[in-house]
Amino acid sequence: MIPKPTVGGDAETTPRTQAQSSPTGDVASSKTSPAGDPAESIAPPRSTDAVLETHNLSVYYTNLLALREITIAIPRNRITALIGPSGCGKSTLLRCFNRMNDLIPGARSEGHLWFEGVDIAASSTDPVTLRRRIGMVFQRPNPFPKTIYQNVAWGARINGYQGDMDELVERSLRRAALWDEVKGKLRKSGLELSGGQQQRLCIARTLAVEPEVILMDEPCSALDPVSTARVEDLMDDLKDEYTIVIVTHNMQQARRVSDMTACLMPDEASADGHRTGVLAEFSPTDRLFTNPKDPRTEAYITGRIG
Amino acid sequence: MTNKTEPETNRSAWSGPSRLRSAQGAVTALVLFGCALITIVTTFLILGVLGGETISFFRVSKIGLIEFFSGTEIDFKSARPRFGLPPLIWGTFVIAVGASLVALPIGLLSAIFLSEYAPERLRRVLKPTLELLAGIPTIVYGYLALTVITPWLQSVLAPLGIRVEQFNAFSGCVVVGIMIVPLVSSLSEDVLSAAPRSLREAGYALGATKFEVATRIVLPASFSGVAASFILAISRAIGETMAVVLAAGSLAQIKLNPFTSIETMTAYIVAVTNGEASYGSPEYLSLFAVGITLFFMTLCLNMLSGAVIRRYREATP
Ligand SMILES: Nc1ncnc2c1ncn2[C@@H]1O[C@H](COP(=O)(O)OP(=O)(O)OP(=O)(O)O)[C@@H](O)[C@H]1O
Ligand SMILES: [Mg+2]
């Protein structure tokens, strides 16, 4: 096992682009309604135990407000689930964390966004380095049209991995619980695998880059229950070393795997029917599902909205 | 019981299209078959004419196959006619290779630029502009070579002691190359931008730069289409006539110096057609022998492109 860089200390030493004003109270977590004092412009990360933090983050697609004033802190070495009805902006929020929205013309964000205390959205932050440290698994399996081996090795190779590539490929595939199924056919195309295997291949590919955070956008939505169970077991294993954020439509899955759950909800529809996502509730998973504080959350998890 | 009546209604609903509609279907199939037949018949007729006249060429001229494939002289004026294909093949080869050297890199790079780097607005202006190049009559390119490129080459190279003939292979390669750039760039751009966004996102999510995504994901994933555009462009260079005649002349010779004249197969055909070769003479008949060679060369290229695409498809289902 390659020792992962200890990132805990970074937060204190990394120069922040924002002013280091005194911590401004309880803005960063566990609020039941979207935090919203627009006058308050800067909130430095409150705790070093949060890997990713946002403060009053709003995201637009051209002129469309997709997310409004999201304030959330993703805890280290935990699994955080994002739930909410379709179109409320879960993927949008996830894609802010690794600046994937940069690739969408017209997408822009306001507010603050930190990774280990560094302003993610700042122009001085290199999205390429950021994405190397924050990996992502997509909703639909998207292996490269290359061999299984190359699929896993590709990311590591472009990131200048110097070690034993065979060993890295094997280790990553093992961690993704795929090794036993593919060890005899590493030179076969990744596209010849089943959907569930392809998704685990994509996870292996992400692990091979050795990121610190893994963002997963509905990773199991195309998988059967057996593959889903495997991926869930895998997430549990990975928790010790990684911080995981997972978007899911499956309430049971959120309850099974996550430590914290954020429930996003569309607010009242505007005149043209477009709805903007807001953070309804962010609590420990047990509490959110057994004793939701927000009526919208309660309605959603009991199946009355969605 | 409603269950009993259902199969009956089903039967009438599924009993097939009405008579009028089946007649329509039959007529459509017939017309389509007829069209396909016309193409096939035409191809075979052309091949038949070429083949027949080629045979009479060998009979009338008394030129053997060995001389035909290895001779380096073309002369129908003397008592015993001489004809060798190699100078013409050489000329065609030089143009094809030289034009490819110009067009494939420029075309591919502009395709990558257009599909991966150019902002949407720029792309919408640039792509049609490039395609405009393909609409210029080829004779204009020949003129461009004769009146701009060659004089320029002469003035640049004269001080270095390199003599550039008025008709030279180099200018021919350059203009034919420029001419086929839009073919490569436009077709390649189509296939590159058709590569799924999910693949690009996968690359970026692993920390790849734009360049790495373009050259190491998108390009390999679109390989078959890019290769097809290359082969199409090379076929076009081989078939090009007027620009080559004006730029590179028609002097059948094998010389390594690119600043001397060459003659391609198509240029030869033009020259003979314009000349005073009488009907049925060996010189006239040689047209068909050259024509059939050209036919097989392009056929081979087409089969090659088919094989490349198929082989690649097999490797990546
Ligand atoms: N590329 C885009 N361009 C414009 N609008 C977009 C784009 N992507 C998403 N949106 C809009 O942003 C809103 C949030 O979309 P998002 O994909 O984040 O929702 P989601 O919660 O992930 O939904 P789902 O559960 O269906 O995946 C939607 O209203 C959607 O129409
Ligand atoms: Mg989504």
Side-chain angles (χ1 to χ4, degrees):
Chain A
M1 193 66 38
I2 296 230
K4 288 172 53 60
T6 43
V7 288
D10 282 358
E12 276 93 12
T13 53
T14 316
R16 285 171 192 153
T17 43
Q18 310 300 331
Q20 302 238 356
S21 61
S22 63
T24 28
D26 186 20
V27 290
S29 64
S30 306
K31 276 215 162 183
T32 49
S33 60
D37 180 5
E40 178 192 41
S41 59
I42 300 151
R46 197 173 53 87
S47 69
T48 49
D49 231 39
V51 177
L52 288 160
E53 283 196 64
T54 73
H55 180 69
N56 282 353
L57 178 75
S58 299
V59 184
Y60 295 83
Y61 289 110
T62 344
N63 295 318
L64 217 95
L65 181 61
L67 276 179
R68 183 166 57 219
E69 291 171 0
I70 305 291
T71 298
I72 194 172
I74 309 290
R76 188 182 309 283
N77 293 5
R78 295 280 182 278
I79 299 178
T80 302
L82 298 180
I83 61 169
S86 186
C88 66
K90 304 178 297 293
S91 302
T92 302
L93 178 59
L94 204 65
R95 293 165 60 93
C96 284
F97 290 140
N98 63 347
R99 276 180 65 171
M100 219 54 174
N101 283 338
D102 285 16
L103 305 175
I104 297 173
R108 67 195 160 82
S109 64
E110 283 170 7
H112 299 284
L113 198 60
W114 295 276
F115 170 52
E116 302 288 6
V118 177
D119 185 355
I120 291 176
S123 55
S124 58
T125 304
D126 176 23
V128 171
T129 324
L130 182 76
R131 293 186 195 125
R132 197 211 133 326
R133 294 175 63 185
I134 305 179
M136 186 170 219
V137 177
F138 296 84
Q139 178 169 354
R140 302 250 299 275
N142 53 354
F144 300 125
K146 299 177 189 289
T147 64
I148 292 170
Y149 183 96
Q150 285 171 334
N151 258 284
V152 181
W154 195 87
R157 200 170 273 151
I158 58 158
N159 284 302
Y161 180 74
Q162 292 297 320
D164 181 354
M165 191 57 88
D166 292 352
E167 190 263 334
L168 177 72
V169 169
E170 177 174 344
R171 174 155 46 96
S172 306
L173 285 169
R174 276 191 195 283
R175 301 210 71 178
L178 187 60
W179 174 253
D180 291 331
E181 287 157 69
V182 301
K183 62 187 169 199
K185 48 177 183 178
L186 292 178
R187 309 279 154 193
K188 281 258 168 69
S189 169
L191 297 172
E192 281 173 31
L193 298 175
S194 76
Q197 291 172 325
Q198 288 187 4
Q199 190 64 305
R200 277 176 282 146
L201 179 63
C202 293
I203 294 174
R205 169 176 84 179
T206 304
L207 296 178
V209 180
E210 299 178 334
E212 296 152 44
V213 179
I214 301 178
L215 308 172
M216 296 179 153
D217 195 349
E218 301 180 43
C220 303
S221 65
L223 306 190
D224 70 315
V226 178
S227 308
T228 302
R230 289 212 157 141
V231 173
E232 287 178 7
D233 288 349
L234 165 69
M235 282 193 270
D236 213 51
D237 289 349
L238 295 176
K239 204 163 87 172
D240 298 338
E241 283 169 77
Y242 299 88
T243 302
I244 297 176
V245 186
I246 176 176
V247 171
T248 178
H249 275 291
N250 183 329
M251 239 66 82
Q252 275 70 42
Q253 181 171 57
R255 288 187 88 152
R256 279 195 301 266
V257 300
S258 71
D259 303 293
M260 295 290 288
T261 300
C263 184
L264 295 176
M265 278 291 161
D267 66 352
E268 296 72 32
S270 66
D272 60 354
H274 172 72
R275 315 187 85 184
T276 295
V278 295
L279 180 61
E281 182 163 355
F282 180 45
S283 323
T285 301
D286 301 339
R287 201 190 319 152
L288 188 131
F289 280 99
T290 53
N291 184 17
K293 279 186 265 173
D294 189 280
R296 291 167 297 178
T297 311
E298 187 181 0
Y300 180 66
I301 61 176
T302 54
R304 278 184 284 129
I305 322 181
Chain B
M1 292 276 282
T2 46
N3 287 9
K4 273 199 171 163
T5 57
E6 254 174 31
E8 302 231 340
T9 44
N10 272 351
R11 199 174 306 149
S12 65
W14 291 99
S15 63
S18 70
R19 214 175 279 178
L20 178 64
R21 283 181 61 206
S22 16
Q24 271 178 352
V27 170
T28 313
L30 207 68
V31 169
L32 293 180
F33 176 73
C35 294
L37 202 66
I38 289 175
T39 345
I40 295 169
V41 167
T42 316
T43 312
F44 275 95
L45 278 179
I46 292 175
L47 205 56
V49 171
L50 284 178
E53 300 284 26
T54 303
I55 290 169
S56 21
F57 164 71
F58 284 112
R59 236 194 9 246
V60 172
S61 66
K62 309 234 166 27
I63 289 170
L65 274 180
I66 294 175
E67 179 179 358
F68 183 75
F69 283 116
S70 64
T72 56
E73 254 182 284
I74 298 177
D75 177 15
F76 290 102
K77 299 284 180 293
S78 51
R80 189 196 168 292
R82 306 182 67 78
F83 184 90
L85 206 49
L88 300 183
I89 291 192
W90 170 251
T92 300
F93 174 79
V94 167
I95 291 290
V97 171
S100 302
L101 286 179
V102 174
L104 303 192
I106 295 179
L108 183 59
L109 289 179
S110 40
I112 291 177
F113 172 75
L114 283 176
S115 87
E116 306 299 312
Y117 287 86
E120 183 55 29
R121 293 242 289 300
L122 185 63
R123 165 156 83 152
R124 252 181 299 179
V125 176
L126 268 186
K127 207 182 168 205
T129 313
L130 257 176
E131 280 163 5
L132 212 64
L133 282 180
I136 300 174
T138 62
I139 191 121
V140 174
Y141 284 98
Y143 235 82
L144 183 77
L146 200 58
T147 59
V148 179
I149 297 176
T150 303
W152 181 81
L153 265 180
Q154 284 168 331
S155 67
V156 169
L157 294 180
L160 305 176
I162 300 172
R163 208 182 81 79
V164 178
E165 292 179 10
Q166 188 184 15
F167 296 106
N168 65 83
F170 191 90
S171 298
C173 293
V174 172
V175 284
V176 175
I178 294 173
M179 212 169 72
I180 61 177
V181 162
L183 215 61
V184 177
S185 66
S186 177
L187 288 175
S188 296
E189 199 271 337
D190 286 344
V191 290
L192 290 179
S193 47
R197 210 181 81 180
S198 63
L199 274 189
R200 294 167 213 263
E201 291 199 329
Y204 286 121
L206 290 169
T209 61
K210 206 167 199 169
F211 183 76
E212 285 158 346
V213 169
T215 56
R216 297 169 69 171
I217 293 177
V218 176
L219 192 57
S222 326
F223 174 79
S224 65
V226 170
S229 83
F230 281 6
I231 292 172
L232 206 68
I234 296 172
S235 305
R236 175 77 199 279
I238 288 176
E240 178 45 36
T241 313
M242 287 323 293
V244 178
V245 172
L246 279 189
S250 44
L251 191 57
Q253 58 181 1
I254 301 180
K255 278 195 184 165
L256 284 175
N257 181 352
F259 301 111
T260 56
S261 182
I262 52 168
E263 181 167 43
T264 62
M265 296 200 268
T266 52
Y268 175 79
I269 292 174
V270 171
V272 173
T273 317
N274 289 343
E276 55 263 23
S278 57
Y279 181 84
S281 68
E283 184 170 17
Y284 168 84
L285 289 172
S286 70
L287 283 183
F288 296 92
V290 173
I292 206 166
T293 314
L294 203 54
F295 179 91
F296 278 113
M297 276 176 72
T298 27
L299 187 71
C300 287
L301 269 181
N302 284 346
M303 291 196 320
L304 181 72
S305 78
V308 165
I309 291 168
R310 231 173 303 120
R311 175 139 175 236
Y312 193 75
R313 287 240 175 86
E314 275 160 20
T316 55

